[in-house]
Amino acid sequence: MTDYHRATNEALKFHLKARSFPLDVIGLARSLGIHLWTYRDLTARAGIFCACPSEHGFTVVSPKSDKKAIFYNQCDPKPVRLFTVAHELAHCVLEHRNRSDDEEKEANCFARNLLCPIWIAQAKGLEAVDDYTRVFGVSGTMAEISIKQAHSDIKWTDPHLAASIVQAFQRREHQKTSSPPEPAWEAFDRAEENWLYGFVG
């Protein structure tokens, strides 16, 4: 059975701890001890061409140490890479093991609430698809789904958590300088570049 309540609230909790918005999903994964690799890195480390189980990304969990690694396709457009990492992060956070249809639905729900939290969308007065793509850095498809699922996401959110997220967001907004917010995909690219530099260097 799909647990949308848990998927929604586990994703939204990260917005309470976030120091800025949009959320840095690569930094978040690293803070949880999850390693990230591109498909290019995977091929380079293996020394041969590797057939990946998914076009966009997948997660590996070590059966001995329980260490986790997310692999994603660096050739995908930025919004797709952003969603892929968020989706795979959901499998790690929610401790999925079977990759059943229910777990995939939970991962999509988690990723949506991590990237396009309805409570922040409402606080910023976002309503249109273009607003979501501009502010959250997601694809048009993801924006449409987020808007369509807004009522469900509100329904599944714990009320106290929702209020705390709005308060935390407003506090961060008040403390901001006059510089415009960084689009999500630019934050993703910057984190990705820093991480890759550390890997190569």
Side-chain angles (χ1 to χ4, degrees), residues 89-137:
L89 186 59
H91 289 308
C92 298
V93 171
L94 300 176
E95 299 182 334
H96 289 161
R97 292 292 183 266
N98 302 318
R99 297 305 170 91
S100 62
D101 287 343
D102 283 338
E103 288 185 345
E104 289 302 314
K105 289 175 183 175
E106 288 176 7
N108 286 338
C109 177
F110 179 101
R112 181 176 69 248
N113 282 281
L114 191 69
L115 299 176
C116 306
I118 181 58
W119 305 104
I120 292 179
Q122 287 183 343
K124 291 184 73 67
L126 308 181
E127 295 179 356
V129 168
D130 287 348
D131 294 335
Y132 274 66
T133 57
R134 174 177 49 82
V135 174
F136 295 131

Side-chain angles (χ1 to χ4, degrees), residues 6-37:
R6 179 172 177 244
T8 298
N9 289 283
E10 288 301 318
L12 291 174
K13 284 176 186 176
F14 288 110
H15 287 280
L16 291 176
K17 305 171 188 175
R19 295 182 179 179
S20 62
F21 180 83
L23 218 56
D24 172 9
V25 292
I26 284 186
L28 175 57
R30 292 179 70 187
S31 73
L32 296 173
I34 301 167
H35 297 282
L36 289 102
W37 304 97

Side-chain angles (χ1 to χ4, degrees), residues 37-50 199:
W37 304 97
T38 65
Y39 283 3
R40 181 171 47 225
D41 297 329
L42 176 61
T43 300
R45 285 176 65 86
I48 55 172
F49 175 76
C50 298
F199 169 71

